[in-house]
Amino acid sequence: MIAPLSKILSNSENVFDFVVNEGHGVKGLCDIGIQALPKQYIQPLEERITMSIVRTDDSIPIIDASNWDDPKVADQICKAAQNWGFFQVINHGVPIEVLDNIKETTHCFFRLPTNEKKKYTKENSISSNVRYGTSFTPEAEKTLGWRDYLSLVYISDDEATSFWPTSCREEALEYLKSCDTVIRKILKLLMGGLNVKEIDEETDELLMGLKRINFNYYPKCPNPELSIGVGRHSDISTITVLLQDDIGGLYVKKHETNVWIHIPPVNGALVINIGDALQIMSNDKYKSVEHCVVANGSNNRVSVPIFMHPKATSVIGPLKEMLENGEKPIYKQILYADYTNIFFSKGHDGKDTIEFAKI
């Protein structure tokens, strides 16, 4: 039985218990009719995305991938990775019905009763590869993000069949398989831009040794101007392939500026961004950049990112091809598991994690 709204909001501990420990998430706050933002979700001024720091006359490249063999596509992708760290791909070959289906599946999962979703919290999930949660790392964050999520690490079809929620398992597997060709083509072109001629088994494990798919749910927020969906951060992946709905709200910090750029939803497009792991491997040729998601006061928003990671046991550092002409390495060789542990031990803080990897 859910406690009365007045009791839940009477103090910060009650809100945290309701949202985090009891597994209701921020969707639960919306479902019981919250009218004002609890103080845990009120971001300090410096973390809010205001129109004074947003450029509306600029945006990331949109690349037509209808012919992957066209040298222009490779050139555009590599230039976008260097100059922006983000780009959108259209005509990529993933059927529109698959994209629409995974977005609807995300809504369906978060419409499940709390008791169903709670089976997959850190405390309850029978697999460490399946995690339902809220914000990012609530126990380590000073202010919380207005987001709930389901995170699924892909090991094998059999493992997914055994442990992933039945409400989204088939759809998530179909989506991962449908995106596999796009992901491999993009990584091949990016590696070509680094003079890596062939992706052998070792390089393949560095680039995509581990796959993770997230279902992100951003419910309608009572005071969106005071909150944030996901705070500013860069991903720690090699690349991230993001499907967003038509609501909008994803912002990217333009490289070496304090200007934020909105990434407008483009029907059928996939948003690609470079992660820290690939910035490290490229010795800073490719850039992972800060991005965030603002809260929305009018609509429930969903997004579905696929994160490509090195294996936890991989050692990452500048690729040998990046040092062939006498270039100095900017980064040391580090165990990827150590890097991820640092990232997940704290709240989002821009690009601070990558400093750990520098020489």
Side-chain angles (χ1 to χ4, degrees):
M1 183 176 173
I2 295 175
L5 178 60
S6 57
K7 184 175 181 183
I8 292 168
L9 299 179
S10 63
N11 65 59
S12 296
E13 285 185 11
N14 287 355
V15 173
F16 192 91
D17 277 344
F18 179 80
V19 173
V20 179
N21 298 334
E22 294 177 20
H24 294 285
V26 284
K27 183 179 184 296
L29 289 176
C30 297
D31 290 345
I32 60 173
I34 189 171
Q35 298 295 312
L37 200 66
K39 67 180 183 180
Q40 292 99 318
Y41 293 92
I42 299 176
Q43 296 288 330
L45 286 171
E46 64 271 17
E47 296 299 332
R48 300 178 201 172
I49 304 300
T50 62
M51 292 316 294
S52 64
I53 56 173
V54 170
R55 282 276 296 276
T56 56
D57 61 342
D58 204 356
S59 194
I60 64 170
I62 298 175
I63 299 170
D64 185 342
S66 49
N67 181 5
W68 287 103
D69 297 325
D70 185 342
K72 288 181 182 174
V73 175
D75 184 59
Q76 289 173 329
I77 284 176
C78 292
K79 281 183 176 173
Q82 292 175 55
N83 299 328
W84 282 93
F86 264 83
F87 54 94
Q88 299 205 62
V89 177
I90 58 173
N91 300 322
H92 41 67
V94 181
I96 193 76
E97 55 269 24
V98 173
L99 303 180
D100 289 342
N101 193 27
I102 199 69
K103 286 185 283 189
E104 179 54 32
T105 297
T106 304
H107 281 287
C108 287
F109 176 81
F110 287 98
R111 282 197 290 263
L112 291 173
T114 295
N115 283 345
E116 278 297 306
K117 292 181 288 191
K118 196 177 176 182
K119 291 176 183 176
Y120 305 104
T121 61
K122 184 178 181 180
E123 293 73 26
N124 297 328
S125 182
I126 57 174
S127 169
S128 60
N129 294 321
V130 181
R131 182 78 73 248
Y132 161 69
T134 189
S135 192
F136 178 60
T137 49
E139 296 81 3
E141 294 173 280
K142 293 176 182 174
T143 50
L144 301 177
W146 198 257
R147 172 191 77 137
D148 298 331
Y149 68 87
L150 175 69
S151 181
L152 305 170
V153 174
Y154 178 81
I155 303 298
S156 68
D157 283 11
D158 286 345
E159 202 262 0
T161 300
S162 298
F163 299 115
W164 289 10
T166 55
S167 61
C168 60
R169 180 173 61 215
E170 301 293 333
E171 295 83 357
L173 286 171
E174 178 190 37
Y175 183 58
L176 279 173
K177 287 181 171 63
S178 297
C179 289
D180 187 69
T181 298
V182 177
I183 290 166
R184 290 183 180 277
K185 286 183 180 293
I186 289 171
L187 285 170
K188 183 179 179 181
L189 295 177
L190 287 169
M191 287 298 101
L194 301 179
N195 296 319
V196 177
K197 306 302 182 191
E198 182 186 353
I199 299 180
D200 57 20
E201 187 176 339
E202 183 183 354
T203 308
D204 189 81
E205 285 196 353
L206 274 178
L207 295 174
M208 49 190 300
L210 185 144
K211 304 175 191 176
R212 180 163 57 92
I213 180 171
N214 269 24
F215 293 169
N216 293 326
Y217 187 81
Y218 304 90
K220 193 161 59 173
C221 181
N223 303 103
E225 72 285 354
L226 302 179
S227 189
I228 198 101
V230 174
R232 56 186 183 85
H233 68 286
S234 60
D235 293 345
I236 59 170
S237 53
T238 49
I239 64 169
T240 302
V241 177
L242 174 79
L243 175 65
Q244 58 172 342
D245 64 14
D246 59 358
I247 304 301
L250 175 61
Y251 284 80
V252 171
K253 194 174 185 181
K254 195 167 184 181
H255 183 55
E256 292 184 342
T257 73
N258 196 37
V259 172
W260 290 86
I261 310 288
H262 184 234
I263 299 185
V266 174
N267 189 42
L270 293 169
V271 180
I272 315 296
N273 66 278
I274 305 302
D276 289 358
L278 190 52
Q279 177 171 332
I280 291 167
M281 291 178 204
S282 72
N283 208 37
D284 271 2
K285 182 172 182 178
Y286 297 150
K287 307 293 191 299
S288 70
V289 297
E290 288 183 50
H291 52 286
C292 67
V293 177
V294 300
N296 187 293
S298 306
N299 299 282
N300 301 321
R301 177 182 183 270
V302 297
S303 70
V304 186
I306 298 173
F307 302 95
M308 308 307 298
H309 296 276
K311 278 191 170 179
T313 53
S314 294
V315 174
I316 64 169
L319 297 170
K320 64 180 187 298
E321 289 84 354
M322 303 311 300
L323 308 175
E324 283 178 342
N325 296 319
E327 295 93 337
K328 297 289 185 188
I330 298 168
Y331 301 97
K332 57 193 174 186
Q333 300 287 323
I334 55 168
L335 185 67
Y336 189 65
D338 291 343
Y339 196 82
T340 58
N341 287 341
I342 290 171
F343 181 74
F344 286 109
S345 69
K346 53 191 174 56
H348 283 320
D349 51 10
K351 279 180 64 72
D352 281 6
T353 308
I354 206 166
E355 296 300 316
F356 161 75
K358 288 185 176 176
I359 290 175

